[in-house]
Amino acid sequence: MNHENLINALHECMTACNHCFDACLNEEDPGMMSECIRLDRECADICGYLEQAIARNSPFVKELAAVCATICEACGKECEKHDHDHCQECAKACFACAEACRQTA
């Protein structure tokens, strides 16, 4: 099965989450961003892990994609609550990735 679209979505989501994570730490009140920061980390990690799992032809890609979709959705919902550009961009990437994951799961 060709996972090219999923791999692209995972990579974009991971990059957006890492950017958002870093940018949140530099906001005036990072404490207000704590849930966003926490979910950015969770999301970037699972996206990176799933990308690696696909590359090594893991037998658990479907299961991991289902978990990844759940985490991406949660991260997107948190990010979209914040007006910062980096949060809004991250939310878009998360929702796109969640959709790509659901198509695989």
Side-chain angles (χ1 to χ4, degrees), residues 14-27 33 36-37 40 75 79 84-91:
M14 181 178 68
T15 302
C17 285
N18 281 327
H19 173 70
C20 188
F21 166 80
D22 182 62
C24 283
L25 290 175
N26 291 312
E27 291 296 343
M33 307 303 292
C36 194
I37 291 167
D40 281 337
C75 190
C79 283
H84 312 295
D85 285 348
H86 57 85
C87 289
Q88 292 297 317
E89 290 301 311
C90 190

Side-chain angles (χ1 to χ4, degrees), residues 64-101:
L64 289 167
V67 173
C68 192
T70 302
I71 295 172
C72 287
E73 192 75 28
C75 190
K77 283 181 178 162
E78 179 58 33
C79 283
E80 74 179 350
K81 294 178 190 173
H82 305 286
D83 290 331
H84 312 295
D85 285 348
H86 57 85
C87 289
Q88 292 297 317
E89 290 301 311
C90 190
K92 279 185 206 146
C94 286
F95 291 139
C97 192
E99 184 53 40
C101 284

Side-chain angles (χ1 to χ4, degrees), residues 49-62:
Y49 185 79
L50 180 50
E51 194 176 347
Q52 291 169 31
I54 291 166
R56 67 175 171 266
N57 201 25
S58 167
F60 303 107
V61 167
K62 279 183 159 55

